[in-house]
C-alpha cells in the first residue's frame, strides 16, 4: 500500500497547534508546503488527531506519498452550501415569504427523510407565480462564494483539470457561475418560466444524485479519464 502523508492546513496556521498535532501523531518532521499547509512526515494515525486539529483550528487530510495535482484530471462540485454559502431555493422562497416552509423541506431532504426528487418538486411548486426578477435578486444580493472557492477553481484550471458544476439547484445560477468562474461544464435543473413568472415546475428530468453520478461518468468517459 502507498505510504500516507498527513497534511495539515488552515487560513492561518497556529505553530503551537501544528507542533501539538506533530507530537500526537509522532511525526518526525514538519515540512512547509505553502504558507497555509504543512506536511507531517512519518505521522501515524492517532486517537487524539481529530481533537488536536479541532482545538487548533486546523483541517487535516491523509494523502498518498508523492501525490501531485497533475495526477488528477477531473473536478466535480455541488453548488448550494458547497461552492456557495446559500441554498438558492430557500433564498428564492424568502422573496415569496415562504422561506420557513421551503427550508423545512430542504432540511428533511438533507436528513434523508424524503426523496430528493419529491422534495424538489414540492419546493418548486411553492414558488409558482414568483417573478423571474426574484432569481436575479438572489444572484446579485445574496449569493456568496465559500472562502477559497474562486481561488480553487482558478488553480484547477491552471493545472489543466476539467471542472464540472453539477447541482440539484437551478441553471439560472449554475450558468452564471459557469461564466464567472470558467467551469468547463455545468448541469442543473431548469425552472419553467412563462410570461416572466415561475410556473412552479421544472423543465425536463430532475437532476438528483443519480443524475450527478451519470454526469461524472459521462464527462469521465468523454475525456478518456481512468476511473
Amino acid at each position: 500500500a502507498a505510504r500516507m502523508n498527513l497534511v495539515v492546513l488552515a487560513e492561518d496556521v497556529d505553530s503551537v497547534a501544528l507542533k501539538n498535532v506533530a507530537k500526537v501523531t509522532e511525526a518526525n518532521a514538519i515540512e512547509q508546503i505553502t504558507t497555509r499547509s504543512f506536511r507531517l512526515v512519518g505521522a501515524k494515525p492517532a486517537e487524539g488527531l481529530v481533537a488536536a486539529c479541532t482545538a487548533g483550528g486546523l483541517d487535516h487530510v491523509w494523502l498518498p506519498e508523492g501525490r501531485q495535482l497533475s495526477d488528477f484530471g477531473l473536478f466535480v462540485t455541488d453548488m448550494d452550501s458547497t461552492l456557495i454559502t446559500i441554498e438558492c431555493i430557500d433564498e428564492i422562497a424568502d422573496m415569496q415569504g415562504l422561506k420557513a416552509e421551503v427550508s423545512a423541506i430542504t432540511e428533511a431532504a438533507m436528513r434523508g427523510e424524503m426523496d430528493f426528487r419529491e422534495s424538489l418538486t414540492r419546493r418548486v411548486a411553492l414558488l409558482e407565480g414568483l417573478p423571474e426578477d426574484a432569481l436575479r435578486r438572489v444572484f446579485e444580493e445574496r449569493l456568496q462564494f465559500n472562502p477559497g472557492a474562486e481561488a480553487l477553481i482558478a488553480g484547477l484550471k491552471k493545472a489543466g483539470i476539467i471542472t464540472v458544476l453539477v447541482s440539484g439547484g437551478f441553471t439560472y445560477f449554475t450558468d452564471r457561475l459557469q461564466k464567472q468562474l470558467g467551469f468547463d461544464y455545468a448541469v442543473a435543473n431548469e425552472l419553467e418560466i412563462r410570461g416572466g413568472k415561475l410556473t412552479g415546475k421544472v423543465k425536463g428530468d430532475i437532476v438528483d444524485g443519480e443524475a450527478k453520478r451519470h454526469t461524472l461518468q459521462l464527462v469521465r468517459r468523454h475525456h478518456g479519464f481512468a476511473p
Side-chain angles (χ1 to χ4, degrees), residues 192-203:
E192 188 179 70
I193 295 166
R194 281 211 195 110
K197 288 197 162 88
L198 274 61
T199 65
K201 292 192 174 72
V202 167
K203 276 170 113 164

Side-chain angles (χ1 to χ4, degrees), residues 16-51:
V16 177
L18 183 64
K19 282 173 187 155
N20 185 36
V21 173
K23 190 176 156 190
V24 167
T25 57
E26 298 174 34
N28 47 38
I30 298 172
E31 290 177 358
Q32 183 163 0
I33 304 169
T34 68
T35 52
R36 299 173 178 177
S37 56
F38 296 82
R39 184 182 298 109
L40 274 58
V41 183
K44 301 177 186 73
E47 186 74 28
L49 171 62
V50 175

Side-chain angles (χ1 to χ4, degrees), residues 115-118 120 166-169 187-189 205-215:
D115 168 54
F116 178 79
R117 301 171 78 87
E118 185 200 338
L120 186 76
V166 60
S167 170
V187 177
N189 293 298
D205 291 334
I206 287 179
V207 175
D208 60 0
E210 187 50 44
K212 288 180 177 182
R213 192 177 76 90
H214 180 65
T215 300

Side-chain angles (χ1 to χ4, degrees), residues 38-103:
F38 296 82
R39 184 182 298 109
L40 274 58
V41 183
K44 301 177 186 73
E47 186 74 28
L49 171 62
V50 175
C53 286
T54 306
L58 305 167
D59 283 330
H60 73 280
V61 60
W62 291 96
L63 292 174
E65 201 170 283
R67 173 61 53 85
Q68 302 286 324
L69 194 56
S70 56
D71 297 341
F72 296 89
L74 181 60
F75 174 82
V76 183
T77 180
D78 181 39
M79 176 175 68
D80 297 88
S81 301
T82 306
L83 187 74
I84 60 175
T85 58
I86 61 168
E87 288 288 326
C88 290
I89 194 160
D90 294 4
E91 300 305 322
I92 298 166
D94 198 29
M95 305 274 170
Q96 193 83 313
L98 289 169
K99 189 171 184 177
E101 289 92 318
V102 170
S103 294

Side-chain angles (χ1 to χ4, degrees), residues 134-153:
L135 303 177
R136 179 193 61 79
R137 284 184 54 201
V138 169
F139 186 80
E140 288 177 5
E141 298 166 20
R142 303 198 179 184
L143 188 145
Q144 284 181 315
F145 290 110
N146 265 313
E150 292 160 287
L152 170 65
I153 304 304

